[in-house]
Every structure is written in C-alpha cells, then in structure tokens.
Amino acid sequence: MKHIFSAAVAASVLATAPVAANAKTLTAGFASEPTSIDPLYHNLGPNNALRKHMFESLVGEDENLKIIPELAESWGTTDPTTWVFNLRKGVKFHDGSEFTVRDFLYTACRIPNVPNSPSSMNSFIKRAETMEAVDDYTLKVTTASAYPLLLSDFASFGIVSASASGHDGPVTYKKDGCEGIASYPASEAYNSGEAAIGTGPYKLGNYTKGERIVLTKNDDYWGEAAHWDEILIRPITNDGARVAALLAGDVDIIEKPPVQDLDRLRADDKTNVVQGASSRVIYIHFDHESEPSPGISGTDGKNPLKDLRVRKAMSLAINRDLITDKIMGGLAVPARQLVPSFMRGYNHDIPMEKSNVEEAKRLLAEAGYPNGFNLVLGTPNDRYINDAKIAQAVAQMLSRVGIKTEVDAMTKSVFFSRRNKYEFSAYLAGWGASGAGMASPLRALVASQNKDKGLGGTNRGRYSNPELDAIVEEALATVDTEAHDDLLRKGSEIAVNDMAIMPLHYEVTPWATRAGLTITPRADQQTVLTTVRPTN
Amino acid sequence: MLAYLIRRLGQSVLVMSVMATIVFFGLYMVGNPVDLLINPEDDLAAQEAAIARLGLDQPILVQFWHFLQGVVQGDLGTSFVHNQPALELILSRLPATLELAAFAMLLAVIIGIPLGMFAGLYPKSPVSKGIMAGSILGFSTPNFWQGLMLIMLFAVFWRVLPAGGRGETAELFGIPFSFLTLDGLQHLFLPALNIAIYKISLVIRLSQAGTAEVSLQDYVKYARARGLSTRRIVGTHILKNILIPIVTVLGLELGSVLAFAVVTETVFSWPGMGKLLIDSIGLLDRPVVVAYLMLTVFLFVVINLVVDLVYSLLDPRIRTKGKNA
C-alpha cells in the first residue's frame, strides 16, 4: 500500500508541474453538459452558452441581453413587415471560407430539418415569411404581420457554414421547405467536428461526450482577439465535486457553486466569487381554473385562488426581504414584476410591495376565509437556487396568516410533468426572460393559452384575462420600440394589479473562480468563457 | 454442460425482458421527458411537435410495441437527449467503467488477501487486530463521504492527485484507456481507491475467516508434520482453499461495480456508465435507462457464469459434479 501510494505521489508531482506553467489555458467546470455541439440541435441553456464560443448569430445579445451587432453590422425596417440586414464583410469561417447571406439562409433551412431535435429552434424563424439574399451581404426578411421580436429571435441561434455542412450550391429559403438542398447532416457530424465550423472566436478542438470539450483560439477572428489560447470545459455535475475541483486547482472557474459554500469561497484567498443579476424571476403561479382545485381543502369545494383578494393577501403575507437575506444569502433581489429593472418593459412606476400580515388577514376575512384554508404548494427541489427551501419559507409565511400550507417538493422530472398535467393548486417555478424582456414572460406565463396564436405556452395556472391578452397581442404587433415597450409596461401593470402570478425574487447568478480571475456575468445565466479575464 | 448453458441463457432472457418491461412502464409513470427537454419559451404547438417527433404522443402500449419490435431487431432505441443509439452511447462509456472496476478489483485482491491471510494466521498479533479494526472502518464509511474526504486530502490539502475527471487517455485496440498514460493513472487512482476500500475490507474479512478455519484442518497439520515449508503450506494449501468464497463474492461485486459505480463516478466526475445512468434517469431518457438495465442483467448473468467456471478450476469436485449433471 505504502509503495503504491508514494509512487503515485511522486508521479503526480512530476506531471502536474509543466501544466501549471501554461497560463493561457482556461479550464472550466460546468454544472450541466451541453447535449450536442450542433448549435441547432437543442434549444437549451448549456447548448446555447457553448455555441456562443464557436457559432455566432446574426445579431448578438450583450450581458444585459440588449441587442448588439454581431454578424450583421446594421439593420432597419423599410416598412413594419420588411427588415433589411447588412452583413459584416470579411468574416471568415474556421475553415477559411467567407461568411455570406447564403450561410444564414442555409442555417434557417436546416433548423426544421435537424433529426430528432428534442427542442427545436423553429420558433425563432417561423415568424419570417420570406428571407432572401439581395446580394452576398444584404439580407431581406419579411414577416406576415408586424413583429417586433425578430431581432431577439435572430439572436437566439448560431449560424453554421453551408459548405462545411456539405452543401455547395446556392440556397433559396422557402418557408415550407428550401429548394436545392439534397440532405442535411445529422448532429453527429457536428459532434465529430467535421461540420462544426462557425465564425466565433473559438474552434472546436476535441469533444468527448461526458468528459471534455476542448476549444482552441481562432486566430483569424474578425472581432477582438480571444484572450485564452485554449479552453477546456469539463462537465462536473456534482456540486461538491465541482467545488473540490476548483479548490484543488484542477479547474479555474466553475458555474453554479452551491450557495452554502459561497462564504467559504469568498473568504479563501485562493478563490473568488463573481456574481451578477439575472433575468430569472422565481414566482408562484396559482390555479385560476379548476374548482375544486386538487391541492386545496377546507373550502367546501371552492377555489379561493380565483378571488383577487385572496391572491393579494397571499402576496402581502410574503416577506420577500427575509427570503432574499436569510435563504438566498443575498443571491436574490425581491421582485414584484416578471423581469428585473434593467430589462425592456419593466414598469418603474410600480413600487415594491411591503409585507403586511394584518392587511393579509383582513383581506382573507373579507373574501370569506377568516380561518384560512389548506393549500399544497408544489415545487421542484433541484431546479432553481434553493427552490425547496424558498417554498418552505413561503409555506410558513402563508400559514402565519391562516393559509395552512404544505410543501410538496420533488425532483424536476416529476415536478414538470405533474405541473403540465395541472396537478398543483399553486406551484413555485422560475422564468428566465430572453432579450425580448417583459414580452417573454407576458406571452408565455400569463397570456391565455392559445395554440394558434402561440400564447400562454407555460401558463400552467391557466390565468386568462382578455384585457391583458389584448395588450400582449398589440405589443407583439408593434414594431416601434417606444410604443412596444409602453405596451409591455401597461401589461406588467395589469398583471401586478390582478395578481395574475406572484413574483418572489430575481435570481443573482454566482460563479467561482481561482483568485485573480473574473467573468462578466450574463443576465441569461449562461457561462460564456470568452469574457473570463485576469483581474488586473 | 451445454444444456446447463442454454438453461442459464434462457433464464437471463426472461429476466431481461421482465426488467425491460418494468422499467419501461415505470419511467412512463414518472413523467414525460419532453417537459424537461423542451425550452419553456416554446409555444404549445412547438411542444406538441417535439412530443410527436420523439414518438411520445402514441399510447404507451403502442410505444411499447415499437420498442419490442426494435429489440427483436437488436435496436434498443435512440436516446431522447443525445440522438444516438442507446446501446452505442452506453458502450462508449463502458471502457472507462471497465478500467475503473478492474483497477479497484486488483487493489482489493493484492491488498486484501495478504492482509486477511496474515490476520488469519496470526490472530493474536496487534498488527492483525489493527487490520481487522481497519476493515470494519472500511466497511462502514459511506462511499460518498469517503470519496469527498479522499478528494479533500489528496487533491485539496496535499494537491498530489487531481480531484476528478479521466485525464489523458491512450488508445488500445482503438479504445481509449486512462491506465496507459501517467496522467490517466493519476486520475484513475482516487476513484479506484474509493471503490476498492470497501472491497479490500470485504476480502480481508473473507480471507481472515477462511484462513483461520482452514489452518486448523487436519490436512494443514499433516502438511506441517511432513515438514513442508510455511510458504508452501500458506501459498498452496491454504490459499487455494479459501479462494472459493472470495471468487464468488468478488464476482458479484465486480458486477455491481460495473453497473452501479454511480456514486464514485459522480463524486469523481468519472465519465463512466454509472454517471450516464444517473444523468439519464434525471432526464427520463427512457431508451438509455432501459438499455442500460438490460445490459446490466446481461453482465450479471455472464459474470455469474464465469464465476461458476472458475470454481470448477479451483475445486475438482465441482468439475466432476458438472460432468455428471
């Protein structure tokens, strides 16, 4: 035993020394692994974060999700339904070929044709009726009706190289099937590296599923040169193992350090914690529909959550400051609206609400529930930062005003299935708004469910308010930025006044690095390692 | 022997199909994988399209029928998450787990048997008492905690070994292995030790008990009386006779390490099959979970078969019985 041990020790000392000398390699520990290198395969946070290193989009989103030029230098509308994009000239793909409109059109053509895509990028192109190349560097897009979120949609998918994906001829985009493209490569071609050719600051070096993703610097990048020569991403899904890897010096930066370790990581002079506001709101959604409601008892079959006074009482019963301080350890900002203040459509005229237990009790009595009722609150316990603990705190605060609340916590796979089958009277969940700002949660969480109009996709409380629907629909058809944002603010006000949904707080996202490094936090919580820099 | 083999294989096919059926319907009851895979921004139409694309809009019995049709043709389904044939995905992780398990077993045997035999031969020695007390400790430490402690000691405080991952690999017959490179070996050592500690304790106790029992038997006394060297008595007469229970137990343990090294693989981010299983269960990736458990049953059957064959090598009496049957 002793022999083996000392041999291993000696060997490791010899081997680790030269690695440390190479300072331009960045090693990162990711909490969840992208499911593919193919940027169009799976519309999922880790995949979208990874693709930003290699595949760029037509327009980009900065760290606060504001639209910025990327592969398109400028754009404008000639009328509310026609958009013209001027593409950046001289942009080279990793294989040296020139980026032109053809590659964008090819990407749009491939999106509906990615085999077995578990969550398609289709929703980002389906509002475009026609897309055509005016010349190699000018793209014209028309939409069936005025659509203000086109830029946000086009910022959401990375552009692949047509030639590297095996298509050499011209591309004609047709909404119901492009012409002239014989077949589309499967995601496997990107995973193997063969078709993984983008325009981004990094190229794919090596990909071993479950083990590592190696990115190497693109020396011919059109923009600011990449800081790191090489980036090594390792999936380390276990929280403890990820922190240990950072402490051991195996990795330079980790995402999602566990909240209980943050103080230690801050205090340790070998490590550093970076945090930034995110667009993710944690909320409680009510059952606005069924009567009796599955998780409510003590009301003779009535659903008290349909009464605005009861919903208002619940919100007044919650002490949000206490949750953000004591449970979230400062990793949260109290919320009353569905997006944080730095995003589009936030209504600055709505003040934060103060918790008021007496008023909550009075409202409950007025609504006919002086003794409260029994409620089961559903929550995932492995999806959001401290999700089940937040639910416990909420339950205690509600119980204090008479709504005897029991928490039903479960793993996310069970939770989301049950939620989508409407098994909860009230549930805790989160929503990370895209660059569209307030339009994103209004459209998905509180607009009435409507398959044809694409509204209410995650409105599992089945809230329905024609007044709000009208405003959301109008906003989604108003291209003028100011008018669009005004409508969003109005929509937010209605949602708040009618307590359609009960926001608790906005998450603050932490990253932990070794001392001397920092990262620019992104509001979409994605880890984009191109922004990691030495602190001095 | 042939009839015996056929019977064993028949049993295993039965077990595999029962297992597949239970897991298939069990996962269906847990939830719908699309609810996790889909991007919440997608509208209802896109959600339905994704469900249809994965064939999950069909009634469960129809889905099961399609699955059975595939199995008969040797196709265990395609991963919902990775869009790769489930079996191929699992087999791509097999080498990592295989070398981890093999290395751990090696440690268990080369450390456990000598220590256990020493404790059995010299029960009164304080060293033996130390070995036996240590083995109880090795038994009772929770694997998960022990792994984190190993990381804290070796990787964080002493910084002599990496905290996890597989390190550099080299190819042997086109398959990547870690034990062929120095960097890989360093990465392999801690997770293998984490698995091995329990097995070492197990082997120590088995060989100690076996040695204590066997060394009192008449044939050992007789061998002593004949003046055979202690080395020959211990190395041949005692060792061979205590090996049968050890081989049985190690066989079963090997199976469970291969199939369920989940905890160690998670703590050390070792990219093996166990980690794939736990990730797939989390995402309700049904084809992978079903294929994995079918493969597991198959592995256990094969290992048990091999164990039986090894018996007959170790014990001639079993060989004769086999012939008669």
Side-chain angles (χ1 to χ4, degrees):
Chain A
M1 174 75 192
K2 206 178 167 195
H3 251 54
I4 295 168
F5 174 70
S6 46
V9 170
S12 70
V13 170
L14 286 175
T16 45
V19 178
N22 186 358
K24 293 291 258 182
T25 295
L26 180 74
T27 309
F30 273 26
S32 39
E33 191 189 3
T35 54
S36 175
I37 298 293
D38 181 359
L40 307 176
Y41 173 64
H42 199 171
N43 181 17
L44 189 77
N47 294 44
N48 293 337
L50 176 69
R51 77 92 179 147
K52 289 196 167 77
H53 300 86
M54 295 178 285
F55 300 93
E56 291 174 297
S57 39
L58 200 58
V59 294
E61 282 175 344
D62 72 0
E63 63 271 20
N64 287 328
L65 308 185
K66 284 206 178 63
I67 299 290
I68 50 169
E70 200 157 287
L71 290 178
E73 257 175 339
S74 61
W75 53 85
T77 47
T78 52
D79 62 69
T81 59
T82 309
W83 296 70
V84 175
F85 294 85
N86 302 306
L87 271 50
R88 201 176 288 279
K89 288 179 183 146
V91 174
K92 295 265 193 291
F93 276 105
H94 297 156
D95 60 1
S97 61
E98 182 99 3
F99 161 73
T100 64
V101 173
R102 192 177 73 104
D103 299 294
F104 176 81
L105 294 178
Y106 177 83
T107 302
C109 287
R110 183 168 175 263
I111 284 175
N113 290 298
V114 180
N116 293 326
S117 163
S119 177
S120 167
M121 301 277 171
N122 220 0
S123 52
F124 301 130
I125 54 162
K126 70 173 184 195
R127 297 302 289 259
E129 275 306 304
T130 67
M131 297 200 249
E132 56 181 297
V134 177
D135 59 50
D136 270 0
Y137 298 96
T138 313
L139 168 73
K140 195 172 115 188
V141 179
T142 64
T143 53
S145 54
Y147 180 61
L149 303 182
L150 192 74
L151 292 176
S152 161
D153 283 359
F154 280 3
S156 305
F157 60 90
I159 296 170
V160 300
S161 156
S163 308
S165 300
H167 179 71
D168 288 320
V171 179
T172 312
Y173 179 82
K174 287 266 162 61
K175 202 176 179 192
D176 45 8
C178 296
E179 285 167 6
I181 299 173
S183 67
Y184 295 93
S187 302
E188 192 42 49
Y190 296 82
N191 292 345
S192 71
E194 179 195 336
I197 303 293
T199 59
Y202 285 91
K203 311 180 203 183
L204 181 66
N206 176 299
Y207 171 53
T208 312
K209 190 169 270 179
E211 209 174 314
R212 65 180 66 207
I213 301 167
V214 182
L215 305 175
T216 54
K217 183 177 172 177
N218 171 12
D219 291 320
D220 301 322
Y221 184 54
W222 60 268
E224 192 196 338
H227 180 79
W228 305 95
D229 295 325
E230 189 180 77
I231 289 179
L232 169 64
I233 297 170
R234 280 179 43 197
I236 309 178
T237 45
N238 180 269
D239 284 349
R242 207 159 55 247
V243 173
L246 178 71
L247 292 174
D250 284 9
V251 298
D252 301 312
I253 180 167
I254 57 170
E255 50 176 23
K256 297 187 187 152
V259 177
Q260 68 268 21
D261 289 339
L262 288 180
D263 284 337
R264 191 194 151 181
L265 290 167
R266 281 195 194 99
D268 194 329
D269 51 7
K270 290 197 216 62
T271 52
N272 180 24
V273 174
V274 182
Q275 60 188 53
S278 83
S279 70
R280 185 178 300 282
V281 63
I282 301 296
Y283 61 82
I284 286 176
H285 214 339
F286 307 107
D287 179 1
H288 291 274
E289 171 88 14
S290 47
E291 192 147 29
S293 187
I296 290 175
S297 57
T299 59
D300 298 325
K302 282 210 298 187
N303 177 355
L305 301 176
K306 289 185 152 195
D307 190 320
L308 173 62
R309 288 167 298 189
V310 173
R311 300 200 296 272
K312 278 196 165 146
M314 287 172 74
S315 183
L316 284 167
I318 308 289
N319 186 338
R320 291 172 173 79
D321 292 324
L322 204 63
I323 295 177
T324 50
D325 284 356
K326 297 294 175 221
I327 295 173
M328 299 299 288
L331 282 183
V333 178
R336 199 179 182 191
Q337 298 179 51
L338 290 167
V339 297
S341 57
F342 58 85
M343 294 196 72
R344 288 183 78 172
Y346 179 86
N347 191 329
H348 287 272
D349 298 332
I350 303 174
M352 266 311 296
E353 187 181 44
K354 281 224 70 71
S355 145
N356 186 337
V357 173
E358 289 317 309
E359 177 67 5
K361 283 182 178 160
R362 195 192 62 77
L363 278 169
L364 273 179
E366 194 185 303
Y369 304 99
N371 300 318
F373 51 90
N374 301 318
L375 174 69
V376 179
L377 174 64
T379 178
N381 57 17
D382 50 5
R383 175 63 187 86
Y384 310 103
I385 303 176
N386 284 342
D387 37 19
K389 286 186 195 152
I390 302 164
Q392 287 291 354
V394 167
Q396 283 176 24
M397 290 168 181
L398 291 178
S399 298
R400 198 171 49 164
V401 298
I403 304 171
K404 290 165 275 306
T405 309
E406 204 184 299
V407 172
D408 189 2
M410 64 210 79
T411 183
K412 58 187 173 195
S413 54
V414 178
F415 172 79
F416 286 110
S417 293
R418 286 186 60 190
R419 181 193 77 172
N420 292 359
K421 283 189 263 175
Y422 307 106
E423 289 184 16
F424 300 120
S425 295
Y427 67 83
L428 180 145
W431 184 264
S434 66
M438 188 64 85
S440 152
L442 283 185
R443 172 164 72 169
L445 293 181
V446 290
S448 308
Q449 285 189 7
N450 187 324
K451 199 157 78 179
D452 299 327
K453 290 178 181 160
L455 296 177
T458 310
N459 181 1
R460 302 296 178 173
R462 288 177 286 183
Y463 176 74
S464 181
N465 179 346
E467 191 194 352
L468 181 61
D469 292 347
I471 286 187
V472 173
E473 280 179 49
E474 195 187 337
L476 291 178
T478 305
V479 175
D480 178 73
T481 314
E482 245 339 282
H484 172 78
D485 289 0
D486 267 343
L487 286 163
L488 294 182
R489 286 190 274 270
K490 219 158 115 194
S492 182
E493 192 183 343
I494 296 173
V496 169
N497 286 342
D498 200 27
M499 196 47 74
I501 194 165
M502 185 165 83
L504 296 174
H505 56 250
Y506 310 110
E507 281 187 355
V508 169
T509 327
W511 284 266
T513 67
R514 67 170 161 80
L517 285 185
T518 187
I519 182 172
T520 310
R522 284 183 65 87
D524 53 16
Q525 304 188 306
Q526 293 179 0
T527 306
V528 177
L529 298 165
T530 49
T531 66
V532 177
R533 289 282 184 284
T535 36
N536 40 30
Chain B
M1 196 65 192
L2 188 67
Y4 173 73
L5 269 178
I6 291 171
R7 202 165 59 231
R8 287 290 284 265
L9 286 177
Q11 282 171 354
S12 65
V13 168
L14 187 74
V15 176
M16 274 163 81
S17 29
V18 171
M19 169 77 101
T21 311
I22 294 174
V23 174
F24 193 95
F25 286 95
L27 279 181
Y28 176 79
M29 280 162 66
V30 172
N32 186 344
V34 172
D35 295 331
L36 287 174
L37 293 173
I38 197 93
N39 190 297
E41 292 260 4
D42 280 354
D43 55 38
L44 293 165
Q47 295 181 18
E48 283 177 14
I51 292 174
R53 207 161 30 235
L54 297 175
L56 294 166
D57 54 337
Q58 311 273 349
I60 179 67
L61 285 175
V62 176
Q63 292 182 38
F64 190 60
W65 175 241
H66 288 312
F67 166 72
L68 288 182
Q69 282 177 325
V71 170
V72 174
Q73 293 160 21
D75 172 14
L76 294 184
T78 300
S79 160
F80 294 150
V81 180
H82 302 281
N83 188 28
Q84 233 179 314
L87 199 59
E88 181 189 308
L89 196 64
I90 296 166
L91 292 179
S92 72
R93 300 290 188 92
L94 184 64
T97 300
L98 210 58
E99 69 174 328
L100 184 64
F103 197 61
M105 285 299 153
L106 193 71
L107 286 180
V109 170
I110 60 177
I111 297 172
I113 293 183
L115 290 182
M117 286 184 76
F118 180 87
L121 289 170
Y122 309 103
K124 298 219 170 87
S125 143
V127 179
S128 303
K129 292 199 172 118
I131 292 172
M132 297 317 287
S135 75
I136 291 178
L137 196 67
F139 260 130
S140 40
T141 345
N143 206 235
F144 183 79
W145 180 83
Q146 177 186 290
L148 287 174
M149 285 304 114
L150 286 176
I151 292 177
M152 286 310 281
L153 278 182
F154 286 88
V156 177
F157 290 138
W158 296 334
R159 295 211 171 198
V160 291
L161 288 172
R166 203 178 167 194
E168 204 183 314
T169 54
E171 295 207 341
L172 183 69
F173 311 120
I175 301 167
F177 283 107
S178 287
F179 73 92
L180 298 171
T181 68
L182 188 62
D183 182 55
L185 263 183
Q186 289 168 31
H187 282 86
L188 182 58
F189 185 74
L190 279 189
L193 182 66
N194 190 44
I195 294 179
I197 286 179
Y198 177 87
K199 320 278 175 227
I200 292 171
S201 313
L202 197 65
V203 172
I204 286 178
R205 299 202 78 82
L206 284 172
S207 37
Q208 182 263 350
T211 309
E213 193 192 317
V214 166
S215 48
L216 294 177
Q217 303 238 334
D218 290 346
Y219 72 87
V220 176
K221 285 182 190 156
Y222 179 65
R224 281 230 171 82
R226 268 183 63 198
L228 292 184
S229 72
T230 315
R231 215 178 117 191
R232 185 156 167 78
I233 296 172
V234 173
T236 309
H237 296 286
I238 297 185
L239 183 63
K240 262 199 170 174
N241 281 289
I242 64 167
L243 272 183
I244 288 197
I246 296 178
V247 167
T248 318
V249 170
L250 282 186
L252 288 173
E253 289 289 324
L254 178 69
S256 69
V257 172
L258 282 178
F260 307 112
V262 179
V263 171
T264 298
E265 289 186 353
T266 307
V267 172
F268 289 92
S269 337
W270 186 262
M273 301 194 301
K275 196 151 166 296
L276 178 69
L277 175 68
I278 206 79
D279 292 347
S280 300
I281 292 176
L283 289 171
L284 298 177
D285 197 347
R286 191 175 65 205
V288 179
V289 178
V290 172
Y292 185 93
L293 292 174
M294 287 175 76
L295 188 74
T296 305
V297 173
F298 179 73
L299 271 178
F300 269 95
V301 170
V302 170
I303 289 171
N304 279 328
L305 207 61
V306 172
V307 166
D308 283 356
L309 295 178
V310 173
Y311 280 174
S312 58
L313 291 180
L314 287 171
D315 189 342
R317 284 171 300 181
I318 296 178
R319 230 172 323 187
T320 1
K321 243 191 265 165
K323 265 182 202 141
N324 293 343

